[in-house]
Amino acid sequence: LTNRSDQVFGIYTKISAWGHEHTKSDAYSATVIQVSNDQGAALQRHQGRPSYDRLDSAVEQASAYAKKETDRDWTTGCYNTDCPGFVPFRDTYTGIPKPGMAVEELSSYGKTDASMILQIVKDERPGIGGDWWLYRVAGPVRFPLGHWPASLFTTLSRHATEAASYGAVGAARREDDLPAMGSGHGPGEGYKRAAYFADIILMDSMAYPVDPSLRGVVPMLNAVRCYQVAMDAGGGNTFFYGGPVRQNCI
């Protein structure tokens, strides 16, 4: 789900957290929030990304990721602090996973609904410098996880032109089955069963929320027969997405 504008300064959203036990180590199932700017020759984007990463040979858990990219097909860029760019916040918070750490609290099908609220925002307040910040939000408190200095970017140093929320899956070999997306169940199953993005809000240049109003937004899919997306009939700037393991989707 994307929202384009002449000037986008951030995105805030509540994301359901799921894990999968049987995803191979060379495949991924990710939930992504992203801001990007495609003005000029290079696409630049930030991601605050609860993703599914292998921790041992048997069980996978969700991890919090941060990534900087400069291309259109995810072939460049770095996760977390693997290369210069993302600057982790110096303090630590009990129970607040930072990029690269496991997210322990996951949803359970039909039983529990675990989620996290992430915000990416370009902070233009005096003295901040216009850097892009990644926050974890818990109740009324925003916990800074780190930032991407504005000096890293060209067009994105001023603002973004698009904010996006989406699920993505992939495998190293074309012939491999694609892993489950989201909870592994279709969006029609609703809360506690399907993965979702909720309370999606865009940010203005002073880091204040701007209601993007999703009523006129058209969901986008590039594997229609394998995964689905559906707006929440109850509103609330929410949509559900996902599906089970699939063959021959690409």
Side-chain angles (χ1 to χ4, degrees), residues 2-250:
T2 63
N3 193 308
R4 294 187 59 84
S5 175
D6 290 338
Q7 295 186 359
V8 174
F9 293 89
I11 183 173
Y12 165 109
T13 188
K14 180 180 179 181
I15 305 168
S16 59
W18 295 85
H20 300 291
E21 296 181 356
H22 305 297
T23 304
K24 296 178 181 179
S25 60
D26 56 356
Y28 68 88
S29 178
T31 299
V32 182
I33 63 170
Q34 172 183 295
V35 293
S36 61
N37 193 323
D38 57 4
Q39 296 176 346
L43 175 72
Q44 299 184 321
R45 59 195 179 196
H46 299 319
Q47 296 174 347
R49 177 176 174 175
S51 179
Y52 305 115
D53 190 26
R54 184 166 294 282
L55 300 178
D56 56 45
S57 61
V59 179
E60 294 189 349
Q61 293 177 310
S63 299
Y65 275 82
K67 187 174 185 183
K68 167 183 173 290
E69 299 180 82
T70 56
D71 67 355
R72 294 178 181 275
D73 57 6
W74 295 36
T75 58
T76 65
C78 297
Y79 287 100
N80 305 322
T81 57
D82 292 344
C83 70
F86 183 75
V87 181
F89 192 66
R90 63 184 181 275
D91 293 334
T92 59
Y93 310 104
T94 302
I96 302 294
K98 300 182 76 172
M101 295 174 60
V103 177
E104 298 292 343
E105 186 178 357
L106 301 176
S107 300
S108 175
Y109 181 79
K111 297 178 181 179
T112 59
D113 174 26
S115 63
M116 65 181 69
I117 298 175
L118 294 178
Q119 181 185 34
I120 300 174
V121 62
K122 190 175 193 298
D123 202 328
E124 298 282 11
R125 291 176 296 174
I128 302 297
D131 296 335
W132 289 92
W133 280 83
L134 174 64
Y135 292 95
R136 176 78 182 269
V137 182
V141 181
R142 291 196 314 174
F143 296 93
L145 303 182
H147 71 279
W148 297 267
S151 58
L152 293 172
F153 306 100
T154 53
T155 56
L156 201 54
S157 67
R158 298 186 297 272
H159 55 76
T161 57
E162 182 178 87
S165 305
Y166 59 92
V169 295
R173 293 176 295 274
R174 192 178 184 89
E175 64 272 16
D176 287 351
D177 294 346
L178 290 179
M181 181 186 292
S183 69
H185 296 263
E189 297 191 33
Y191 285 106
K192 295 186 180 181
R193 291 174 171 81
Y196 63 81
F197 290 89
D199 304 329
I200 301 169
I201 299 173
L202 301 188
M203 316 304 295
D204 68 12
S205 61
M206 297 303 293
Y208 291 126
V210 177
D211 186 346
S213 182
L214 303 185
R215 290 189 297 274
V217 177
V218 178
M220 299 173 60
L221 299 93
N222 61 1
V224 178
R225 60 191 179 85
C226 296
Y227 307 102
Q228 297 295 321
V229 60
M231 305 302 296
D232 181 13
N237 286 8
T238 298
F239 72 92
F240 298 92
Y241 70 95
V245 175
R246 295 292 192 180
Q247 295 178 318
N248 306 315
C249 277
I250 301 176

